[in-house]
Amino acid sequence: MDFQSCVNIKKEWDIVGARQLGRDIAGKVGFGTVDQARIATAISELARNIYLYAGTGKVCFETIEEINQKGLIIIAMDDGPGIKELNQVMEDGFSTSGGLGAGLPGVKRLMDEFDIQSEHGQGTEIKVVKWLR
């Protein structure tokens, strides 16, 4: 996949950068302010997970234009420890960081498509898509 742009996540401030870039791209695709906020929230959660659990990684953005659909693909990837209990992480209210626990189930609800690939010791890649309505 040929990404339009990526933000490296190395420090906490990079979460803000990823969120802002994603919101800007979403606006250019044509998403309204409510969907831009949903997308920005999902990006924050994905980038924060990289920062907290993997240390470093990146969030990449790609716009999609098909004949009758436009959308935004966001991929968060890292070479961190991976997720041991994938089913548990996808349960509502589960939190390892003591946060609100919206976490990945929250991201899944905010977006239209959600796919996670994670192997213990091999890192994690999460791909989400939001379609323009």
Side-chain angles (χ1 to χ4, degrees):
M1 190 170 283
D2 184 29
F3 299 114
Q4 280 177 312
S5 44
C6 294
V7 175
N8 289 314
I9 308 296
K10 292 182 179 142
K11 49 193 187 297
E12 199 167 5
W13 189 248
D14 295 333
I15 299 167
V16 177
R19 180 184 170 101
Q20 190 58 53
L21 180 62
R23 186 186 272 267
D24 291 348
I25 293 171
K28 287 180 184 139
V29 171
F31 287 101
T33 52
V34 173
D35 275 335
Q36 285 178 39
R38 287 184 179 119
I39 291 165
T41 301
I43 293 165
S44 288
E45 192 65 45
L46 294 171
R48 180 165 279 108
N49 282 350
I50 292 171
Y51 175 73
L52 288 176
Y53 304 115
T56 61
K58 60 185 175 179
V59 177
C60 296
F61 306 94
E62 182 63 40
T63 56
I64 358 168
E65 270 196 68
E66 295 178 359
I67 296 164
N68 54 356
Q69 262 187 326
K70 281 171 84 169
L72 177 62
I73 299 173
I74 301 160
I75 297 185
M77 53 192 122
D78 65 64
D79 295 317
I83 300 170
K84 243 195 261 186
E85 300 293 329
L86 210 48
N87 291 343
Q88 194 179 22
V89 170
M90 291 309 296
E91 283 173 21
D92 273 321
F94 178 78
S95 174
T96 52
S97 66
L100 295 173
L104 295 178
V107 171
K108 188 175 183 177
R109 274 194 302 275
L110 289 165
M111 304 299 281
D112 297 320
E113 294 177 28
F114 179 97
D115 180 63
I116 182 166
Q117 304 289 322
S118 186
E119 237 177 277
H120 188 59
Q122 301 288 311
T124 302
E125 182 175 304
I126 299 173
K127 176 183 173 182
V128 294
V129 180
K130 188 74 172 170
W131 294 105
L132 193 58
R133 300 259 177 267

